Amino acid sequence: IVDLAQRYTDTFPQAYREDFDAATALADIHRLEVLAPQDGLDLRFGLPVGAEPGQRRLKLYLAGQQITLSQVLPVLQQMDVEVVDERPYGVVRSDGVPCWIYDIGLLLDRALVHQLADQDVDDVQRRFCEAFAAAWRGACEIDHLNALVLRAGLNWQQAAVLRSYVHYLQQMRSPYSQHYVGEVLVTHSDIAAALIALFEVRFDPVLDAVSRDNRQEAFASRLAIMIDEVAGLDADRILRSLLALVRATSRTNYYVRDSSDGVGVSRPYLVFKLDPKAVPRLPEPRPEFCSYSAGVSAGGSQAPVVKSWRRASSLSSPHLFAVSR
């Protein structure tokens, strides 16, 4: 450890040495050392020492690439955090790879601070960092639904499920824009979380049929009561449409993993098989069933693909379903 620290003694810029103590520097060195030499990325998100309510700091560790604040701002703004300051530090790693540490000050509004009070701190930090990394690397779309990571306690994959349903609403010629539907979900983040809970209990491969049926009926009933309490006709219609889409979904590849042990990497796209007869306000003519695939394009936006069939499917498993895009 001492040897490693000595190699970085003259590498850290003067500004860094003035801003951070030796213990922080050592922790940062360890993060820099394990970064991939090209496009390496690591993050740390949390409470600074002596923080006022709502204050947080995000550290980005990058190898082989330098960025500007204008590149980071859209990702963070869509996650519903305000950027208040940024301190960049250039460092040359012990193997000669150029690295950068970006220490970014964030501010959370009072409502968000209150929402986070009941969430596990470590879980919040992990979800936030994973969501930022997914958006940064183009694994998910950069839009306001990413705010559900903090506001609803979702991870970025769960937010992607809701985004896929929002895109499907657009395919249905919904009068509401994607942005507006996203705002409704963020405003009613408790309902967004409940929609995901219903979706997951419908397709969780661990549950037996009886447990699944009982739990999903309880979840759906609770959701209907929650939506009854929503003020505003537009929001009511949007949330009921999303609930109907979740209930109309019969199969998905959400739980499919690319490994034999079932704990590998999830697919880079989501696929849903829906029963069109159970979808309100779906334009005629309605097919026998519809397969909806949503993945992220090279440009970072979610690209939906809809396939419809009039004949019955030969697929069997209710939770392992995928079609090729």
Side-chain angles (χ1 to χ4, degrees):
I1 294 177
V2 174
D3 211 28
L4 186 62
Q6 286 178 341
R7 278 184 304 199
Y8 278 85
T9 300
D10 299 324
T11 300
F12 282 118
Q14 182 63 34
Y16 181 94
R17 294 197 290 267
E18 292 174 358
D19 291 339
F20 300 105
D21 58 23
T24 302
L26 191 58
D28 288 345
I29 288 170
H30 282 296
R31 288 181 179 267
L32 293 174
E33 284 288 307
V34 297
L35 290 178
Q38 290 296 323
D39 300 327
L41 171 68
D42 194 8
L43 303 100
R44 187 165 66 85
F45 171 70
L47 281 163
V49 177
E52 295 292 328
Q55 289 184 340
R56 299 291 189 277
R57 295 208 76 83
L58 173 68
K59 264 191 179 179
L60 298 181
Y61 303 86
L62 296 164
Q65 58 176 325
Q66 188 172 6
I67 62 172
T68 62
L69 184 59
S70 62
Q71 293 173 279
V72 178
L73 271 174
V75 182
L76 293 173
Q77 288 172 339
Q78 296 290 9
M79 296 182 76
D80 250 8
V81 295
E82 179 185 352
V83 176
V84 293
D85 68 83
E86 179 228 14
R87 296 179 289 180
Y89 310 96
V91 184
V92 178
R93 205 164 64 181
S94 58
D95 59 359
V97 173
C99 299
W100 288 267
I101 300 173
Y102 295 88
D103 184 45
I104 302 171
L106 305 174
L107 185 63
L108 283 54
D109 63 46
R110 290 184 180 180
L112 182 51
V113 172
H114 178 73
Q115 287 172 301
L116 292 176
D118 296 330
Q119 298 184 35
D120 179 76
V121 174
D122 291 338
D123 188 51
V124 170
Q125 294 173 348
R126 176 187 57 78
R127 286 188 286 103
F128 185 90
C129 291
E130 289 179 354
F132 181 96
W136 183 257
R137 288 175 168 151
C140 72
E141 192 170 338
I142 300 174
D143 64 12
H144 202 39
L145 285 173
N146 292 337
L148 293 172
V149 170
L150 293 180
R151 297 211 178 263
L154 304 184
N155 59 41
W156 71 267
Q157 295 96 331
Q158 291 169 325
V161 169
L162 292 175
R163 183 178 294 114
S164 297
Y165 282 121
V166 173
H167 279 299
Y168 190 81
L169 284 180
Q170 306 308 302
Q171 298 282 336
M172 290 170 53
R173 304 173 193 168
S174 168
Y176 307 107
S177 69
Q178 178 182 339
H179 175 77
Y180 183 71
V181 176
E183 290 296 324
V184 168
L185 281 168
V186 172
T187 299
H188 302 283
S189 57
D190 56 338
I191 295 178
L195 285 168
I196 286 298
L198 173 62
F199 174 83
E200 291 188 337
V201 79
R202 282 177 62 81
F203 302 106
D204 188 343
V206 175
L207 295 176
D208 60 73
V210 175
S211 298
R212 178 180 295 110
D213 290 344
N214 290 339
R215 291 180 64 179
Q216 70 174 312
E217 286 307 316
F219 281 26
S221 298
R222 176 171 169 265
L223 262 164
I225 293 171
M226 295 170 72
I227 296 173
D228 283 342
E229 297 174 354
V230 170
L233 184 58
D234 287 346
D236 181 279
R237 286 175 175 171
I238 288 168
L239 295 171
R240 289 189 193 280
S241 295
L242 290 169
L243 173 57
L245 287 179
V246 173
R247 301 200 74 179
T249 304
S250 60
R251 300 182 187 178
T252 179
N253 72 336
Y254 178 74
Y255 283 101
V256 175
R257 297 294 181 266
D258 286 330
S259 71
S260 58
D261 58 9
V263 294
V265 179
S266 59
R267 299 288 172 87
Y269 54 86
L270 285 168
V271 183
F272 306 110
K273 178 186 173 185
L274 299 99
D275 177 7
K277 296 185 293 296
V279 180
R281 293 182 291 278
L282 187 68
E284 298 288 349
R286 300 189 181 196
E288 186 68 23
F289 65 84
C290 177
S291 171
Y292 178 74
S293 173
V296 178
S297 68
S301 60
Q302 199 154 7
V305 176
V306 176
K307 296 185 179 182
S308 301
W309 290 268
R310 290 195 176 275
R311 290 201 232 169
S313 165
S314 61
L315 298 168
S316 56
S317 171
H319 55 266
L320 299 179
F321 170 71
V323 298
S324 128
R325 290 186 57 208

